[in-house]
Amino acid sequence: MRYSLAHLDALDPREFELAVCSLLSRDGLAAEHVGRAGDKGADVLVVDRSRRRVVVQCKRLRPDRRVGDQDVQRVNGTYRHDHGAHFAVIVTTGGFTAAARASGPRYGIHLVDRDALERWADMGESLYRILRIADVDAPQRRWTTAAWRRERSRD
């Protein structure tokens, strides 16, 4: 499965979230679309092969637009405490401001700009390889997105 940038640019925000979810699944990750009003910065929940929980926030913007630091701060305020995730990823069809690029890595938030999105969606490179995230099996409890949501709902 591959998507050109032109195709992704033509999608509405919800369709873009679903495309990102499909790309995560293509990479062999357990991904579930959960984006809706009041989603607290989580459009897609992921459990990777190392059983880490990941929150993905999707921003479908015009190519000349930038995700700002306020969006990074919003994700930072929710991905650990509200979602119990190990780290977060923000994916955009645009770019990131200098402030967002500076704060994202400090907070454990990986940023996927238009160039990285093209490598991932159109050229077929895995997201974890692009972001240089180790993805190895670890002898831990087997997590699924459904189990994750059940556990979080008990909190």
Side-chain angles (χ1 to χ4, degrees), residues 18-70:
L18 292 170
V20 167
C21 188
S22 295
L23 289 167
L24 291 159
S25 295
R26 179 201 72 189
D27 285 355
L29 306 171
E32 179 182 3
H33 178 255
V34 294
R36 63 188 177 285
D39 60 22
K40 296 187 178 182
D43 294 321
V44 181
L45 299 178
V46 174
V47 177
D48 68 19
R49 289 179 289 267
S50 297
R51 291 145 185 96
R52 292 172 296 200
R53 295 166 296 214
V54 182
V55 164
V56 180
Q57 171 68 300
C58 302
K59 295 290 186 185
R60 219 288 292 140
L61 304 173
R62 289 190 336 241
D64 63 328
R65 301 297 301 219
R66 303 288 174 254
V67 174
D69 190 52
Q70 71 279 5

Side-chain angles (χ1 to χ4, degrees), residues 65-87:
R65 301 297 301 219
R66 303 288 174 254
V67 174
D69 190 52
Q70 71 279 5
D71 294 305
V72 173
Q73 296 299 330
R74 191 173 302 114
V75 171
N76 180 49
T78 62
Y79 84 87
R80 284 180 296 252
H81 301 294
D82 290 339
H83 300 292
H86 293 84
F87 61 90

